[in-house]
Amino acid sequence: MAWTVEPKHFNRNFELRSRKLAMEEAKGLVKRMLLVKFKDGTPSAQIEEILKNYANLVNLVEPLKSWHMGKNVSIMNLDQGFTHVFELTFESAERLAKYVDHPVHTEFSNRLRPHLDKVVVITYEPTAFCT
Amino acid sequence: MAWTVEPKHFNRNFELRSRKLAMEEAKGLVKRMLLVKFKDGTPSAQIEEILKNYANLVNLVEPLKSWHMGKNVSIMNLDQGFTHVFELTFESAERLAKYVDHPVHTEFSNRLRPHLDKVVVITYEPTAFCT
């Protein structure tokens, strides 16, 4: 099987998608992604309390536009033990910076950190292709 | 500063958000998140070619509803060297399974893997809180 299954089809569609892509990029959204592994033995009630407080930052920290989370259910054995994903969306890098410096965020981070076994944080400007 | 800054405010808002949350969950979306570090020395033109082919899976593999990517620009030093994020969205776990088994996806994975230094794959059902 070829790397690009149908080159002509690919190129035509990619051109169309590229226009859509440019539109997405113009929005200037910035996302922060966190992968987290809570320490073994953290009571589930405590994790639930943390998740509620984390979600509530959208009410308390204005620059945070949206907050998504999910519990890992992958069976691929490529999750390196991470248990939760958090997706935070901002309208600009400036607004992300305001979120980071906000005292409510700082307070939340200080409360969260002692419960974490490990964490990865990635910041990026998402580009999209949709059906 | 208290863990929950304004308990009454928090509880009232969280109740409102919980209804929104329930609606989001009802959609039954399933996301797959990949964090990737390309091997040092992978030519940037080759990475670009891989990204184009990855994005094009939305045209070739019907169960893949949307595909987002971003290059890591975090300055927090918590990125563990990961260079790219990929967010794939499906309408159900069944459609994710169809994507995984699709020969075009298998072919793409086999082409991608030799270029990766490391990868994390997380699967989850996102829940959302938005302003």
Side-chain angles (χ1 to χ4, degrees):
Chain A
M1 187 182 298
W3 170 232
T4 302
V5 177
E6 299 168 64
K8 279 177 86 176
H9 178 70
F10 170 79
N11 289 331
R12 191 182 67 241
N13 273 298
F14 195 76
E15 206 174 297
L16 291 172
R17 301 285 171 188
S18 295
R19 285 201 284 275
K20 193 168 181 179
L21 176 65
M23 288 170 63
E24 291 283 337
E25 284 178 332
K27 288 182 193 167
L29 291 180
V30 173
K31 287 188 73 171
R32 170 161 286 188
M33 175 79 54
L34 293 93
L35 298 187
V36 155
K37 181 184 186 301
F38 283 97
K39 282 180 181 166
D40 292 338
T42 308
S44 60
Q46 189 152 28
I47 292 175
E48 289 306 312
E49 182 72 10
I50 289 168
L51 299 182
K52 280 188 181 182
N53 280 285
Y54 203 174
N56 196 45
L57 293 189
V58 292
N59 298 316
L60 302 175
V61 186
E62 194 274 334
L64 177 57
K65 182 181 167 71
S66 74
W67 182 95
H68 292 70
M69 68 145 282
K71 293 181 188 178
N72 179 41
V73 295
S74 178
I75 54 171
M76 280 183 74
N77 207 25
L78 287 173
D79 55 35
Q80 292 189 12
F82 289 106
T83 54
H84 293 73
V85 185
F86 303 101
E87 300 176 48
L88 287 68
T89 307
F90 306 87
E91 283 167 345
S92 66
E94 290 71 26
R95 291 176 73 79
L96 166 58
K98 281 186 182 170
Y99 165 82
V100 169
D101 290 340
H102 196 291
V104 171
H105 169 255
T106 306
E107 172 70 9
F108 174 78
S109 295
N110 291 340
R111 296 266 186 174
L112 173 66
R113 207 169 296 123
H115 300 289
L116 299 184
D117 185 4
K118 57 182 184 173
V119 60
V120 177
V121 182
I122 306 285
T123 304
Y124 60 104
E125 296 178 20
T127 53
F129 292 78
C130 305
T131 55
Chain B
M1 187 181 300
W3 170 231
T4 302
V5 176
E6 299 168 65
K8 280 178 83 177
H9 178 72
F10 168 80
N11 289 332
R12 190 184 68 242
N13 273 298
F14 194 76
E15 205 176 297
L16 290 172
R17 300 287 171 187
S18 295
R19 284 203 284 276
K20 192 168 182 178
L21 176 65
M23 288 170 63
E24 290 284 336
E25 284 179 334
K27 288 181 192 167
L29 291 180
V30 173
K31 286 188 74 171
R32 170 160 286 188
M33 175 80 54
L34 293 93
L35 299 187
V36 155
K37 180 183 186 304
F38 284 96
K39 282 181 181 164
D40 291 339
T42 308
S44 59
Q46 190 153 27
I47 292 176
E48 289 306 312
E49 181 73 10
I50 289 168
L51 299 182
K52 280 188 181 182
N53 280 285
Y54 202 173
N56 195 44
L57 293 189
V58 292
N59 298 316
L60 302 175
V61 185
E62 195 272 334
L64 177 57
K65 182 180 169 69
S66 74
W67 182 95
H68 292 69
M69 68 145 280
K71 293 182 188 177
N72 179 41
V73 295
S74 179
I75 54 170
M76 283 182 72
N77 208 24
L78 288 173
D79 55 33
Q80 292 188 12
F82 289 107
T83 55
H84 292 74
V85 184
F86 303 102
E87 300 176 47
L88 287 68
T89 306
F90 306 87
E91 283 166 347
S92 67
E94 291 70 27
R95 292 177 72 79
L96 167 57
K98 282 185 183 171
Y99 165 81
V100 170
D101 291 339
H102 196 291
V104 171
H105 169 255
T106 306
E107 171 71 9
F108 174 78
S109 295
N110 291 341
R111 296 266 185 172
L112 174 65
R113 207 169 296 124
H115 299 289
L116 299 184
D117 184 4
K118 58 182 183 173
V119 60
V120 176
V121 183
I122 307 285
T123 304
Y124 61 105
E125 295 178 21
T127 55
F129 293 77
C130 305
T131 55

